Amino acid sequence: MLRQSNAADIPRSAVQLRYTSMASESRLYTFSAETEEKLRKFRLGTSRANSPQAVVYQIDKHTLEIAQADDTIYSNVQELGDELPDHSPRFILLSYPLTLPSGRLSVPYVLLYYLPVTCNAEVRMLYAGAKELMRNTAEVGKVIEIAEAEDLETLEEKLGGAA
């Protein structure tokens, strides 16, 4: 005879373990109040942008705080690519105005997850663990993974714009 399982069938300790591990992961990485405010202002301020706008975020390996790498707001994707490090991952928030194949204008707000193939395993894991938290905190619509700065050249294609 088949029996339907429900929450009462799961040992209490297993449920507690599941919730504890989810909560501890989100507390592993932090955002300062200032960083959260910068994220909010950037998201709201770029929704009607006429040119691409991007900011770069990094994780401090010692404090595990996610913060803006510098105060630069890039308006040129090529310039952004030139500034990306060769051996270290970064999170890049990007607002990119484009024309859709239908002719309609769109300004997608995305997270570029820059993960060079040359970075070490420890740093890869550090950024991989923070990717979803960064996505949710920044409230982006899409995450695009890029492995090298040259991938920025095909960005409009990845966002679904008209060529």
Side-chain angles (χ1 to χ4, degrees):
M1 176 157 130
L2 291 174
R3 187 173 85 109
Q4 203 172 20
S5 66
N6 60 32
D9 295 338
I10 301 171
R12 186 167 172 77
S13 61
V15 173
Q16 287 173 333
L17 178 62
R18 180 173 169 234
Y19 288 118
T20 302
S21 66
M22 286 171 52
S24 64
E25 185 174 309
S26 66
R27 278 185 273 148
L28 181 62
Y29 304 97
T30 60
F31 291 90
S32 68
E34 178 185 355
T35 298
E36 287 181 346
E37 183 63 19
K38 283 182 178 182
L39 285 168
R40 189 184 72 77
K41 283 184 177 179
F42 184 75
R43 180 175 49 86
L44 296 174
T46 61
S47 63
R48 302 212 187 276
N50 294 327
S51 63
Q53 294 186 13
V55 289
V56 179
Y57 282 81
Q58 64 186 17
I59 301 174
D60 182 312
K61 286 196 279 188
H62 303 292
T63 64
L64 299 182
E65 181 179 343
I66 301 172
Q68 198 167 329
D70 55 34
D71 288 333
T72 306
I73 296 178
Y74 297 92
S75 58
N76 181 317
V77 177
Q78 189 66 37
E79 184 183 320
L80 170 65
D82 293 342
E83 293 297 318
L84 290 174
D86 292 333
H87 307 294
S88 183
R90 292 290 185 265
F91 294 124
I92 304 155
L93 293 176
L94 175 69
S95 177
Y96 194 91
L98 53 86
T99 303
L100 299 175
S102 65
R104 196 181 68 147
L105 292 174
S106 177
V107 186
Y109 179 59
V110 298
L111 173 66
L112 299 179
Y113 177 43
Y114 174 64
L115 187 65
V117 293
T118 56
C119 67
N120 68 41
E122 179 187 352
V123 176
R124 283 179 170 274
M125 293 302 294
L126 185 70
Y127 277 78
K131 181 172 78 168
E132 283 303 311
L133 179 63
M134 182 67 184
R135 173 188 197 152
N136 294 334
T137 304
E139 299 180 42
V140 297
K142 184 176 184 177
V143 175
I144 298 174
E145 296 188 15
I146 58 174
E148 51 192 35
E150 288 77 30
D151 292 344
L152 292 171
E153 294 171 10
T154 60
L155 195 57
E156 190 164 325
E157 193 177 292
K158 292 176 183 176
L159 291 170

